[in-house]
Amino acid sequence: MDRDVLRITVLGSATPFPRPGNPCSGYLVEGGGVRVWVDAGTGTLAELQRYAALGDIDAVWISHLHADHSADLLTAYYALLYAGLDVSVPVALFGPAGIADRLAGFLTNGAERSPVESAFAIEELCDGHVARIGGLSLSARAVDHGGLDAFALRVEDQDGRSLVYSGDCRPCPSLVELARECDLFVCEADGDVAGHHSAAQAGRSAAEAGAGRLVVTHVGSGVEPAEAVALAAAEFPGDVAHADPGARFEVTRRSRTPARTTTSRASSR
């Protein structure tokens, strides 16, 4: 692994269930000499292994506990403890409050509680939580996902390169603050659904934050990826791409778009 590169690989971006060739939400972040599995949606564990062995993952970071972002923790548990893999357990796991009991509730099959802590060293997220893994800093902010505990993530390396992942949330000031002048902003665009961004709103949030580049992900089934990119690009003056499964985005320092107010170009015409 190149320690001088910060990049994110899309393991899956489907919502709310996996599709042929596209698992649910999951990403591999590499940089600073470490690898972090960000969100573990259905089907992402298999795709993760295209790029890294499970024993090479230094930490797992979960934005919220909806199944399309966390369900593969269940199969990862069995892999870590019972598959005879060359892994060092427990693996650091950062997630919302209650994540341990949520996993144990599903995995326990008798009177004795499933030993989830044998597989995962669990640390609960809170607003402003910061973890340092190798040469990466992982900063969390609470975001608005309709009352559910949910967090967005900012990853920074030692050279100051930064990427931000929205998790699932509606537009909110805490997300814009977290994404302020980031080099790469990965923002969900599940459509006009409560607790989510639309593609146009993803573009607005990126513009308000003054992000360098935007990747729209988790696009709702009623919108084609190319259409989502176009809708976001109408609101954001920088480069916009879609989180195609298997796409890899290297984070580079580049000129950022100036942060602007919430008035969109569409509404100012």
Side-chain angles (χ1 to χ4, degrees):
M1 179 173 52
D2 189 344
R3 290 175 177 266
D4 295 327
V5 173
L6 176 62
R7 72 174 164 230
I8 184 170
T9 300
V10 181
L11 306 176
S13 58
T15 173
F17 60 94
R19 314 298 167 86
N22 191 9
C24 288
S25 292
Y27 310 86
L28 174 63
V29 173
E30 300 172 280
V34 295
R35 296 179 174 94
V36 182
W37 182 11
V38 175
D39 275 353
T42 314
T44 57
L45 176 57
E47 294 303 308
L48 176 71
Q49 294 169 85
R50 294 185 186 275
Y51 309 100
L54 192 54
D56 292 333
I57 299 302
D58 298 280
V60 185
W61 194 98
I62 301 296
S63 64
H64 65 288
L65 296 180
H66 280 154
D68 59 337
H69 292 255
S70 64
D72 266 19
L73 290 176
L74 303 173
T75 47
Y77 164 86
Y78 286 110
L80 290 170
L81 292 187
Y82 304 120
L85 302 178
D86 182 16
V87 297
S88 178
V89 291
V91 175
L93 171 60
F94 303 96
I99 188 170
D101 287 342
R102 183 78 168 264
L103 293 174
F106 187 93
L107 294 166
T108 299
N109 293 306
E112 185 175 346
R113 183 181 185 274
S114 177
V116 294
E117 289 82 4
S118 297
F120 300 111
I122 298 170
E123 187 171 326
E124 293 185 345
L125 296 174
C126 61
D127 190 31
H129 180 277
V130 178
R132 302 193 185 281
I133 306 294
L136 298 183
S137 173
L138 312 180
S139 301
R141 286 297 308 270
V143 290
D144 186 352
H145 191 36
L148 180 77
D149 278 353
F151 298 90
L153 170 67
R154 184 180 182 113
V155 180
E156 294 187 351
D157 70 6
Q158 293 171 314
D159 294 322
R161 290 170 291 206
S162 58
L163 69 89
V164 169
Y165 167 54
S166 67
D168 279 3
C169 66
R170 62 176 57 126
C172 53
S174 59
L175 176 62
V176 172
E177 291 166 9
L178 186 71
R180 186 75 63 199
E181 295 190 345
C182 67
D183 297 303
L184 179 67
F185 184 27
V186 181
C187 188
E188 66 101 0
D190 199 9
D192 296 319
V193 180
H196 291 274
H197 279 71
S198 67
Q201 288 170 333
R204 289 178 208 143
S205 289
E208 289 169 30
R213 291 184 291 162
L214 171 64
V215 175
V216 289
T217 190
H218 209 48
V219 173
S221 58
V223 179
E224 292 298 319
E227 182 184 358
V229 168
L231 289 168
E235 303 291 338
F236 175 66
D239 292 339
V240 183
H242 176 257
D244 294 333
R248 311 188 88 173
F249 298 94
E250 186 172 320
V251 181
T252 56
R253 300 297 298 271
R254 53 181 297 164
S255 298
R256 300 180 181 88
T257 58
R260 67 182 187 188
T261 64
T262 55
T263 303
S264 71
R265 285 187 286 171
S267 63
S268 61
R269 291 192 183 105

